[in-house]
Amino acid sequence: MSQKYVYLFADSRAEGTGKMKDLLGGKGAGLAEMTNAGLPVPPGFTITTEACTAYYAEGEKFPEGMWEEALAALEKIERSTGKKFGGTENPLLVSVRSGAKFSMPGMMDTVLNLGLNEETRAALAELTSNERFSYDAYRRFIQLFSKIVMGIDAEKFEHKFNEYKKKLGVTEDTQVGAENLAELIEDYKAIVKKETGRAFPTDPLKQLELAIKAVFASWNGKRAKDYRRVHKIDDNLGTAVNVMTMVFGNMGEDSGTGVAFTRDVATGEKIIYGEYLQNAQGEDVVAGIRTPKKIAQLKEEMPEIYEQFSQVAERLEKHYKDVQDLEFTIERGRLWMLQTRNAKRTGSAAVRIAIEMVEEGLIDKATAVKRVEPAQLDQLLHPMIDPKSPVEVIAVGLPASPGAAMGKVVFDPDTAEEMGKNGEKVILVRTETSPEDFHGMVAAQAILTSRGGMTSHAAVVARGMGKCCVAGCGDVIVDYANQLFTVGELTVRKGEWITLDGSTGRVILGQVPLIEPEVSGHFRTLMEYVDEFRKLGVRANADTPHDASVARGFGAEGIGLCRTEHMFFEGDRIDSVRQMILSSADYKALEAQLETAKAEVEKASKDKKPAARKRVKELEKKIKRPSELYIGALSSLLELQRGDFVGIFRAMNGYPVTIRTLDPPLHEFVPHDDQTLKDLSKKIKMPFKEAKARVAQLHEFNPMLGHRGCRLGIVYPEITEMQASAIFEAAVKVKREGVVVKPEIMIPLVGNVNELKLQADVVRRVAEEVFARENERVEYLVGTMIELPRASLTANRIAEVAEFFSFGTNDLTQTTMGLSRDDAGRFLPFYVDKKIFPDDPFQTLDQEGVGQLIDMGVKRGRSARPDLKVGICGEHGGDPESVIFCHKVALNYVSCSPYRVPIALLAAAHAALADETGATAAATTA
Amino acid sequence: MSQKYVYLFADSRAEGTGKMKDLLGGKGAGLAEMTNAGLPVPPGFTITTEACTAYYAEGEKFPEGMWEEALAALEKIERSTGKKFGGTENPLLVSVRSGAKFSMPGMMDTVLNLGLNEETRAALAELTSNERFSYDAYRRFIQLFSKIVMGIDAEKFEHKFNEYKKKLGVTEDTQVGAENLAELIEDYKAIVKKETGRAFPTDPLKQLELAIKAVFASWNGKRAKDYRRVHKIDDNLGTAVNVMTMVFGNMGEDSGTGVAFTRDVATGEKIIYGEYLQNAQGEDVVAGIRTPKKIAQLKEEMPEIYEQFSQVAERLEKHYKDVQDLEFTIERGRLWMLQTRNAKRTGSAAVRIAIEMVEEGLIDKATAVKRVEPAQLDQLLHPMIDPKSPVEVIAVGLPASPGAAMGKVVFDPDTAEEMGKNGEKVILVRTETSPEDFHGMVAAQAILTSRGGMTSHAAVVARGMGKCCVAGCGDVIVDYANQLFTVGELTVRKGEWITLDGSTGRVILGQVPLIEPEVSGHFRTLMEYVDEFRKLGVRANADTPHDASVARGFGAEGIGLCRTEHMFFEGDRIDSVRQMILSSADYKALEAQLETAKAEVEKASKDKKPAARKRVKELEKKIKRPSELYIGALSSLLELQRGDFVGIFRAMNGYPVTIRTLDPPLHEFVPHDDQTLKDLSKKIKMPFKEAKARVAQLHEFNPMLGHRGCRLGIVYPEITEMQASAIFEAAVKVKREGVVVKPEIMIPLVGNVNELKLQADVVRRVAEEVFARENERVEYLVGTMIELPRASLTANRIAEVAEFFSFGTNDLTQTTMGLSRDDAGRFLPFYVDKKIFPDDPFQTLDQEGVGQLIDMGVKRGRSARPDLKVGICGEHGGDPESVIFCHKVALNYVSCSPYRVPIALLAAAHAALADETGATAAATTA
């Protein structure tokens, strides 16, 4: 039996249905559905995706029977419309469009007015009593067909048209009359002949055949193939072809064309929203030559049509249970629906529509949750640039931290702080930022850097603060000496206004109106729905009591990562940190010597004892100063950290707080300019030369792989002791206030279980000491970051000691891929651009590689400790796709920056709902 | 039935055998074996390891029946010797020693003369007619027993003895007479009373009981436990206790004691080799107070004893089929054997003995191969410091590259080169080395650095050259300004002589006689045996024709890693490299602009064409200079590299040569001092400011994880093209000469199969171009380094493109463990010292972590391509333990520095033989 390749839709009856997207493509299925629903759809037919596949299987030939079926369908359309394809009285013209299952860039555009030639054009002229209209239609058809089907550069036609306009001394297309258009058409045909060596086809059936083949060909065009490769779409799906009767919105004042949405896709308000143009074709609406009217005006101008349209709109929305994006044409007072599809919408509209549709009983809560994309929430959480305002974009960098902000350009943190104190809005512009710029970043509205990637210091800190940041904007050349930056020829000086869009990476000259975010009642309702479905916990990365409060406000269920060192830069506490670091090595060395010397006194024979004792005395004298410095610094840091933890514990009353012990290499804290170091050495009375030597000694070739993480705490256990004391003393204090406190101490950069053992021993010992001293206990956990491949590989060993894991996916990505996030800017954009990597792995988790190590880490960890709590605290914790992965590999929670908590919550709900769908599908199959 | 805890050996009959090492310990089994062989062994008994285990199981009590069995055995000894324990006529004295299955530091030393008290001493005095002898024996016993069994500081006894000598005005122990010794013994007893509160035990049985318990206790001493933890020895094995009749070598001129080997353990010569002392006890030999005589003298002094001894020696060697390390005592003209065990030997002795024993028919070839430890060969391949020479060690660094060398200290490579040219021997001393020091390293005898680890630049390059290097010697403070280095108080200036021992890390002041290595006939024979057994291939890492020849000489079966960039530093070719780098970015940027501009000319409308054409002209003009520089540099490098490859291919005629494309970050090649850069920029006529900016631009925070490896070739495909051209042009050339050439092009740092695809495409395209141009083809492979965790994790994907894998375990270790080998010096020694890591993972492969990724990479790679050839080319390829691992995970070959090829070959044979043993064992079990 021969296969059916062509599906007719005409006269309220379609051979296909809305469910047949695989066979008819999205567009064809929609047209069938509308036709079956009795809506006014111009008759037409869809050639199936299977025809396309067969076309390729048979060496680019139409499969047997297809063309005959198409001709038969065409005949039925002729019967339905009373028109005739190629007819010289009432000619049938058609549009031809591609329509794959997924819409795909690179696929063929629409060819309109197919079927025109000199004869049919003349008939059209007569029929419409409009000579110019017929010539214009023919001109447009030749131009479009030549470009799309025959592959001739459109520029050549435009160029010819422009010559005419120039000659005629006019500027608008519409000012070119029928006679000139007729001449132009001859010129167009000459161009086609010259470019292809063949005449422009005049046989409508030939035109149709070529157009269908062009659609099929576009399926295997380079862009479409690349797109499929990247998005992993099967090459064998094929595309459908939709052939539909042309209707004309440009047949006079009783005609028109428009697009409309069944609700306002900007705000979500339940109101038909759209635009139309009287006496115009679709192209004209898009071209923007004439200003379209609001759809509301249609109510006044054509009340009956409006009434009919609004009923159609309502039916379609109810039918599809979602907001529809509609295309329609009015031909001589008759409404035709050309397309319906689910409408794209802004984040806030998505939320409102989802909630209101639940309230209207149209959809259930699960559907409402699925209707909002997690990434869309981002818009709701940050100010945005008013899309209606014209902007002067001078450069585009990485969208490092979303939102928009404007301010005066400043180039150093001190000025930023000073101007900020005076109430001025500033934007801090740096080549890159370092922890020493922190106070300036706090004072600034936003940060712009010319170097560094999505996880550079600037980006990470800005995201943590929910502050707009554009990073790695290579076109911006910062000139600190002259306090200006340049972009090509343009110079922007200190004090000039710029606006940053951290959601798109745009750097904009001057001030631009911003739209403030509004966390509306609908948003809150959505989050309530979300909590009914999601299984994955969501915590926040928060380093200060303020961050902790913000995080709770957004619904965080605890802190998944508190980076103790981020507190080190507040106020002048950095001095204590530096004092600790500068004195540490000296202290440790002398301490070791002293220990040996003391042991030697014990062992020494009587005659050698005095000398040995003398040595001890000398060392005791020598260690006094470093000891004062080191122990002094540690104890002042203890005070400060204890205070911080008290604030954080209070803010997180009842929720767990995961505190990471000191992680970054020490050289990140010390000053690298001589003057600051001189001031510091004066302040702490340490010889400058010594301080300088210590700073030099801290230099590392690859600090990322250097002396950091638990390796610090192992060599300097006093630092871990100090931090543990601060945590437990704070915990005991707030417990007495009635706060429910759940500290989780997290040891970073563990690669070998022995490292964790040593550090966990220190933490547990200090805990017992504090509890004994205070006569009060708190429950706590000791766990580790899993951020090295070796930690994942030996997770079963590590879980013997660790009570919880938290995947540090930033560092795990760096080590697994051998990719420094600070340096990758030189090739990573190139890699992502050329699709060598599917995504920036620092934004979206590399599931194929890093994901394997996470899965392995979870499984092996739980093999040793079945109740092991596992989370993730890298940047990926706030990336929807990565959150869904985390759900799949059965993590207990994700942790992300406070401002991304709602996004993670929603993504978690999506993941859980996807499970249910999968489960239902499985149940049905079984 | 009660368990048997005590095994007697007496009168040529032992209850145990030499096979019962588990139960009797190594020593006890040896004594049983000798006794059974009818050799003269003083009667005694062994308390089993099971008794020790039971002792702990029962709360540190002797298990039921043990003591009674011991007493029964003692009675049998009394019967055999005619002596009586605690007897006042002919008292039996015994020695008590520990004896676990494995000898272990921290286990109890020997207690001699046990059974003495005032009465038995008096009997001994009478029996020997030597009052002083008896007192001295008693004194020694108290001292030893107090220290070992009762835990009293030996210093206290020494101190007391010294007081006596001082009082008497004598210096030697032997000068203290019987009377004084008697007094001293009373003082000793007083010390014991004071320190322990108890009297020194006088009951011999009590002494025995305490000594046995002390042996058991030492099993659970801290040092022994630590040792077992580190060496993964089961805590439940327990130790045996050997109680044996004392024999005295110090009973006059017809008595003596000695140690001997059945062959010369320094040279391997088949000759009894050892020392003895007349009228002395074992202690005296060790103490070195008197100079012992060569064993040959015994032949003259006591010919019968010598004859008997040499027969015993021969019997034991034949019995154990290995060189024996013997302890003996002659008591009044009667020979007693106290111990026999397999002897430790030097590398060259091990080789000679193994080969000669095969020739003697004593062992088979497989045994001979197993008898030589791979690491022992290292000694045979490098000069060594004459162990007989006294040396002044001033510091100890890392043994970075084995061998020994001396020379005058110099501090910069130019001086090294200059002095080297004048025939002077120099040692290059640097804080650390960089590629720019290469010529100095070539000229120097050896290299000493104060920073950097086992895989620092200095270490790697030195090992590659087979040149002695001591690295990371932190005590050496280099002062370039004053051309000296200090170690503590000591100053060593330029021109002063030092000697380095790269096998131990010692830095020695002055000149020391060296022993040159000799690759003897035995060595060659051993390598022939090795080839009969090993299955794993062994290649060499070689970067020059010279290295390649050396490698072939050592038996390498090809090159596993040829680092093209190592050739970049020879002569002045570095200038071309630098020119290429400095011009590359400029060239690439302009090239991209030019391409865009040309496309714009195409697209531009007529009126805009002139402007667009002008832009193209401008860019063409602008690109001329960078183009000349870039293309020029590339083509001169092409010439040079082609020449290198020709030489290497010739040296490796018939064997594969794996060539890695450019790997290190570009900044490693550019000068970092302004003067060199100025000279260079003048030479290549590039503005200094531009050159400087480019150098600055190349800076990376973590170069290890930065823009290097295939990431270079992907952004700069011209470089890969140039290298591929050089390889294939060279291959074609040598093929025409009749050389069998097998190039294998290896792409470094691949983490994603797409990276490899792009680079492999370039290589294959260039290959076809060269073959077409030259009308000649060569077979070749394209493969990749697996040196990122992600590469192992996705090895199945990568193997779709790669024709071979080579594990770059240096980088794989760095990324898997998150450990920079350049920076780890700050904590890695601490880690290894504290046993946080079992070994330096850059020396011995981290099998638990990195090993998993290798295993995974092999399995997954072969799942996609079953015939995938897999090797390893990290430093670990020359480490015996790691080679065995490579055999186990079924690699095809290992590749190591030429000077380690024989070591790898031997280790490979060991691995294969271990398989066979395993297989035999399995077969027996089955």
Side-chain angles (χ1 to χ4, degrees), chain B residues 263-516:
Chain B
R263 306 199 184 203
D264 185 337
V265 291
T267 65
E269 191 185 352
K270 194 181 176 186
I271 182 174
I272 292 181
Y273 180 87
E275 293 172 330
Y276 80 105
L277 269 177
Q278 252 178 319
N279 194 15
Q281 256 193 328
E283 277 187 288
D284 302 324
V285 182
V286 181
I289 298 166
R290 287 159 56 194
T291 308
K293 298 176 181 172
K294 294 265 166 239
I295 200 94
Q297 267 181 273
L298 186 64
K299 198 172 184 175
E300 287 156 35
E301 289 175 359
M302 307 185 193
E304 276 170 42
I305 292 286
Y306 180 82
E307 186 55 28
Q308 188 191 355
F309 177 73
S310 61
Q311 278 170 17
V312 166
E314 201 181 329
R315 275 185 65 186
L316 282 170
E317 192 185 89
K318 282 212 170 117
H319 183 77
Y320 285 104
K321 298 182 194 302
D322 200 358
V323 183
Q324 295 299 296
D325 172 352
L326 307 167
E327 279 179 32
F328 65 93
T329 285
I330 305 159
E331 189 187 72
R332 291 186 168 161
R334 186 166 176 195
L335 176 70
W336 293 102
M337 298 303 299
L338 303 187
Q339 179 164 306
T340 187
R341 59 180 173 191
N342 294 339
K344 295 202 188 319
R345 63 211 77 175
T346 65
S348 55
V351 173
R352 177 169 175 177
I353 291 166
I355 301 304
E356 289 188 348
M357 282 191 171
V358 172
E359 288 163 0
E360 292 162 23
L362 211 55
I363 57 176
D364 60 14
K365 288 180 184 176
T367 307
V369 167
K370 284 193 269 188
R371 282 279 167 81
V372 184
E373 279 306 312
Q376 284 183 313
L377 292 188
D378 210 17
Q379 297 168 18
L380 274 71
L381 299 163
H382 301 281
M384 56 186 278
I385 290 173
D386 186 343
K388 293 187 298 292
S389 303
V391 293
E392 187 181 349
V393 177
I394 56 173
V396 178
L398 297 170
S401 181
M406 53 196 161
K408 291 177 180 173
V409 167
V410 295
F411 294 94
D412 66 278
D414 295 339
T415 312
E417 195 175 36
E418 199 182 317
M419 288 172 70
K421 274 183 194 157
N422 298 335
E424 288 189 271
K425 290 187 173 182
V426 297
I427 287 181
L428 182 62
V429 181
R430 303 282 294 170
T431 312
E432 59 205 313
T433 62
S434 73
E436 297 182 25
D437 299 328
F438 188 75
H439 60 292
M441 298 170 77
V442 171
Q445 302 299 309
I447 297 109
L448 168 62
T449 67
S450 57
R451 270 157 65 168
M454 291 297 290
T455 48
S456 60
H457 178 265
V460 172
V461 172
R463 278 201 294 281
M465 295 191 289
K467 187 163 280 193
C468 164
C469 174
V470 173
C473 189
D475 290 342
V476 166
I477 312 294
V478 179
D479 178 351
Y480 290 126
N482 297 306
Q483 293 279 293
L484 56 84
F485 74 80
T486 56
V487 181
E489 314 272 285
L490 181 79
T491 300
V492 178
R493 292 177 189 283
K494 180 184 162 187
E496 291 185 39
W497 284 83
I498 62 170
T499 303
L500 298 185
D501 183 351
S503 307
T504 63
R506 290 181 300 172
V507 180
I508 293 161
L509 204 61
Q511 302 183 55
V512 180
L514 301 183
I515 299 173
E516 285 302 318

Side-chain angles (χ1 to χ4, degrees), chain A residues 755 790 831 846 852 860, chain B residues 755 790 831 846 852 860:
Chain A
E755 296 176 303
R790 198 184 192 285
Y831 265 51
D846 162 40
Q852 282 195 49
R860 293 185 179 183
Chain B
E755 296 175 302
R790 198 183 191 284
Y831 265 50
D846 163 40
Q852 282 194 50
R860 293 186 180 183

Side-chain angles (χ1 to χ4, degrees), chain B residues 589-645:
Chain B
L590 286 166
E591 198 198 23
Q593 286 175 34
L594 190 55
E595 217 158 278
T596 314
K598 280 178 178 167
E600 269 163 16
V601 171
E602 287 300 304
K603 280 194 289 179
S605 54
K606 213 169 200 167
D607 51 335
K608 283 179 186 156
K609 279 224 197 290
R613 288 212 181 89
K614 197 179 153 203
R615 171 95 181 120
V616 169
K617 285 242 168 72
E618 279 170 12
L619 284 167
E620 278 172 347
K621 199 174 153 194
K622 221 170 159 186
I623 205 175
K624 201 162 167 273
R625 183 73 194 133
S627 163
E628 276 168 21
L629 286 173
Y630 188 57
I631 309 289
L634 282 172
S635 61
S636 65
L637 281 173
L638 171 62
E639 289 284 324
L640 295 165
Q641 292 233 297
R642 192 197 300 124
D644 293 329
F645 294 137

Side-chain angles (χ1 to χ4, degrees), chain B residues 102 573 583 684:
Chain B
F102 306 101
R573 56 173 74 176
S583 55
I684 67 173

Side-chain angles (χ1 to χ4, degrees), chain B residues 68 484 571 784 862 875:
Chain B
E68 290 70 23
L484 56 84
T784 182
R862 291 203 178 127
E875 297 279 318

Side-chain angles (χ1 to χ4, degrees), chain A residues 621-632:
Chain A
K621 200 174 153 192
K622 219 169 160 187
I623 205 176
K624 204 164 166 270
R625 182 74 194 133
S627 162
E628 277 169 18
L629 285 174
Y630 189 57
I631 309 288

Side-chain angles (χ1 to χ4, degrees), chain B residues 464 540-553 559 561-564 566-568 570 573 640-653 657 730 734 898-899:
Chain B
N541 299 348
D543 308 328
T544 62
H546 170 258
D547 288 356
S549 300
V550 172
R552 278 295 305 133
I559 291 179
L561 174 61
C562 172
R563 287 154 292 205
T564 48
H566 277 204
M567 306 171 182
F568 284 4
E570 271 183 28
R573 56 173 74 176
L640 295 165
Q641 292 233 297
R642 192 197 300 124
D644 293 329
F645 294 137
V646 164
I648 290 173
F649 288 148
R650 281 180 188 150
M652 279 289 156
N653 187 355
V657 176
V734 299
Y899 297 90

